[in-house]
C-alpha cells in the first residue's frame, strides 16, 4: 500500500475535473516525485479506464484517481425553472439554450468497480465519504483511500468510516469545495486552523494532506509543520504544459482583467471558487442550490463561451493564490513549491 510519507516530494497534484487533469499531467507529477491524480468526475467509466491505461504507459510511479461522491439533490423544480429563464437571454447570445437537467450519479457504482479492478495506488473522494464497505474493499485491494474534508466533523466521519488518509481542504482552494452536505454553505475556518483541529483529533496513523491556496514553498513548509504529510496543489498546476486547461481559462489566469476570486454556486449548484467574471456577477445572487442540475443547465453556455473565447461566460476555477501560477513543466512548478 502506498505510504504518503515515502513520496520523494511532499506534493500531490490535485485532481482537476473538467479538462485540466490529464494522463500527461498525472504522470509528470508522479515522475517528478509527487503523487499525480486523474480526475474521474464528469467522465464515463470507459474514458477513466482509458486515462488510467494512458497514465500507466507514461509512468511506473504511483498515481491516484479521484471520484465525485453522489449526494441526494437539493434542487427544487421551481427554482431551476426560474434560473433557466434567467439564463435564456445569455444563452441566446451564444446561439444556444440552457441544458435540460437529468438524473446523473456520475456513474458512481461503475467507477468504484473499475477502480477496485484496476487498482491504482490511490483513490480520493470529494463531496462526501463512501461507506465503510467500499473503503475497506479498497484497503483489501491495496488501494490507499483519501477522503476530502472541509470541517472537523467531516474528518471525524471519514476516520470512523475507515478512510486511509484525509485531504483537508481549506477555504482558499480553487474549484469545488468538497463539503459533504450539498445544501451547506462552505465554512471559512482557515486551513491552518482546520489542520490544527483535525490533526489533533485524527489518529496519528491517518495521514493528512493539506489543500487550498498553497502557492509557495513557504506555504507548503507551513502546513508540513502543522502535521500535514503533503500539500495538494491545484491552481499552481493549471498553467502547466501537461495540463489540459483550456485556452480561455489559461489566458484569464494571466490577465490583469481578473483581480479576485469568489465562491459561487452560479455555475454548478455547488459552491466553488473561481475568478470573478460577468457570469458570476450577474447570477451569483439568484443561483439556486442543486448539483448536478444547475451544472447541466449551464453546461451548454459554458461550452459555447469557451468556443467563442469569452472568459465572461464560463467558470474559471482558481484558488486565492492564482497570481502565483506560472507556465512551465509540471516538474519545474513542483520544484518551485518544494520546501
Ligand atoms: C480547475 C479545478 C478543478 C478541480 N476539480 C477537482 C476534482 O475534480 N476533484 C477534487 O477532489 N478536487 C478538485 N479541485 C480541488 C482541488 O482538489 C484542490 O482542493 C484545490 O485545487 C486546492 O487549492 P488550490 O487550487 O488553491 O491549490 C479542483 C480545483 C481546480 C482549481
Amino acid at each position: 500500500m502506498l505510504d504518503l510519507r515515502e513520496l520523494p516530494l511532499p506534493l500531490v497534484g490535485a485532481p482537476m475535473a473538467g479538462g485540466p487533469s490529464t494522463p500527461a499531467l498525472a504522470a509528470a507529477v508522479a515522475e517528478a516525485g509527487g503523487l499525480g491524480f486523474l480526475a474521474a468526475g464528469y467522465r464515463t467509466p470507459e474514458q477513466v479506464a482509458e486515462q488510467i491505461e494512458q497514465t500507466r504507459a507514461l509512468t511506473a510511479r504511483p498515481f491516484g484517481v479521484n471520484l465525485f461522491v453522489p449526494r441526494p439533490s437539493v434542487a427544487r423544480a421551481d427554482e431551476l425553472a426560474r434560473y433557466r429563464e434567467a439564463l435564456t437571454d445569455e444563452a441566446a447570445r451564444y446561439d444556444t439554450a440552457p441544458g435540460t437537467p437529468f438524473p446523473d450519479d456520475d456513474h458512481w457504482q461503475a467507477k468504484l468497480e473499475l477502480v477496485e479492478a484496476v487498482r491504482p495506488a490511490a483513490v480520493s473522494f470529494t463531496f462526501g465519504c463512501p461507506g465503510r464497505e467500499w473503503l475497506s474493499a479498497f484497503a483489501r485491494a491495496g488501494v490507499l483511500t483519501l477522503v476530502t474534508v472541509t470541517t472537523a466533523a467531516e474528518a471525524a466521519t471519514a476516520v470512523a468510516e475507515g478512510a486511509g488518509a484525509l485531504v483537508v481542504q481549506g477555504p482558499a482552494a480553487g474549484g469545488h469545495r468538497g463539503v459533504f452536505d450539498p445544501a451547506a454553505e462552505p465554512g471559512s475556518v482557515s486551513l491552518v486552523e482546520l489542520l490544527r483541529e483535525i490533526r489533533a483529533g485524527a489518529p496519528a496513523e491517518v495521514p493528512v494532506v493539506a489543500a487550498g491556496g498553497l502557492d509557495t514553498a513557504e506555504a507548503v513548509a507551513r502546513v508540513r509543520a502543522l502535521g500535514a504529510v503533503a500539500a495538494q496543489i491545484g491552481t499552481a498546476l493549471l498553467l502547466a504544459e501537461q495540463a489540459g486547461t483550456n485556452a480561455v481559462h489559461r489566458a484569464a489566469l494571466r490577465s490583469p482583467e481578473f483581480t479576485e476570486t469568489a465562491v459561487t454556486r452560479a455555475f454548478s449548484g455547488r459552491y466553488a471558487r473561481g475568478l470573478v467574471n460577468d457570469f458570476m456577477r450577474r447570477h451569483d445572487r439568484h443561483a439556486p442550490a442543486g448539483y448536478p442540475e444547475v451544472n447541466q443547465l449551464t453546461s451548454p453556455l459554458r461550452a459555447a463561451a469557451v468556443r467563442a473565447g469569452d472568459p465572461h461566460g464560463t467558470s474559471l476555477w482558481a484558488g486565492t493564490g492564482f497570481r502565483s501560477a506560472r507556465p512551465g513543466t509540471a516538474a519545474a512548478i513542483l520544484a518551485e513549491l518544494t520546501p
Side-chain angles (χ1 to χ4, degrees):
M1 172 92 72
L2 173 69
D3 184 341
L4 295 172
R5 284 165 291 228
E6 288 173 4
L7 286 172
L9 297 184
L11 300 171
V12 174
M16 296 190 279
S21 283
T22 59
L25 181 62
V29 169
E31 284 292 306
L35 181 63
F37 257 94
L38 293 174
Y42 314 127
R43 295 197 182 279
T44 64
E46 294 72 27
Q47 290 170 330
V48 179
E50 197 181 319
Q51 288 211 325
I52 293 172
E53 249 177 62
Q54 289 169 351
T55 310
R56 282 186 168 154
L58 295 169
T59 184
R61 297 203 49 82
F63 64 91
V65 176
N66 173 259
L67 306 187
F68 289 176
V69 180
R71 306 290 296 170
S73 177
V74 294
R76 283 181 25 195
D78 58 332
E79 290 181 348
L80 288 178
R82 225 173 298 132
Y83 198 41
R84 173 176 240 284
E85 191 60 39
L87 294 175
T88 302
D89 286 351
E90 183 132 359
R93 273 199 280 126
Y94 297 111
D95 272 336
T96 185
T100 305
F102 59 95
D104 180 18
D105 72 352
D106 202 44
H107 310 276
W108 173 236
Q109 189 69 24
K111 287 180 184 172
L112 288 169
E113 288 167 12
L114 168 72
V115 171
E116 189 189 25
V118 304
R119 301 181 186 202
V123 59
S124 75
F125 299 92
T126 190
F127 300 150
C129 182
R132 71 181 72 230
E133 291 75 20
W134 272 108
L135 290 174
S136 54
F138 287 125
R140 279 195 303 277
V143 180
L144 176 70
T145 56
L146 300 98
V147 176
T148 306
V149 299
T150 63
T151 63
E154 289 173 355
T157 301
V159 168
E161 294 291 309
L166 303 175
V167 178
V168 176
Q169 189 199 46
H176 283 95
R177 300 301 309 283
V179 184
F180 289 8
D181 177 354
E185 290 235 356
S188 56
V189 176
S190 74
L191 177 60
V192 164
E193 278 308 308
L194 275 177
L195 280 173
R196 282 209 182 100
E197 211 181 334
I198 291 172
R199 197 49 294 179
E205 66 273 15
V206 178
V208 161
V209 173
L214 303 174
D215 62 339
T216 60
E218 292 69 37
V220 172
R222 220 172 297 135
V223 295
R224 295 259 294 158
L226 289 165
V229 63
Q232 181 159 301
I233 306 299
T235 300
L237 285 168
L238 282 171
L239 298 177
E241 280 169 20
Q242 296 93 341
T245 314
N246 69 56
V248 171
H249 196 175
R250 279 181 192 265
L253 286 164
R254 307 188 70 194
S255 160
E257 188 187 351
F258 297 96
T259 56
E260 56 175 344
T261 65
V263 172
T264 185
R265 62 186 189 195
F267 292 105
S268 73
R270 251 197 180 267
Y271 289 101
R273 183 177 293 281
L275 300 177
V276 175
N277 64 1
D278 289 348
F279 188 101
M280 228 200 259
R281 278 188 279 266
R282 272 199 291 273
H283 301 298
D284 179 62
R285 256 162 301 149
H286 60 246
Y291 179 87
E293 290 86 350
V294 173
N295 200 52
Q296 294 159 343
L297 275 180
T298 66
S299 172
L301 280 82
R302 288 182 283 116
V306 170
R307 280 196 301 274
D310 180 4
H312 287 288
T314 188
S315 49
L316 302 167
W317 301 141
T320 58
F322 73 97
R323 276 280 169 253
S324 312
R326 298 272 178 280
T329 63
I333 293 166
L334 294 188
E336 279 285 316
L337 291 167
T338 302

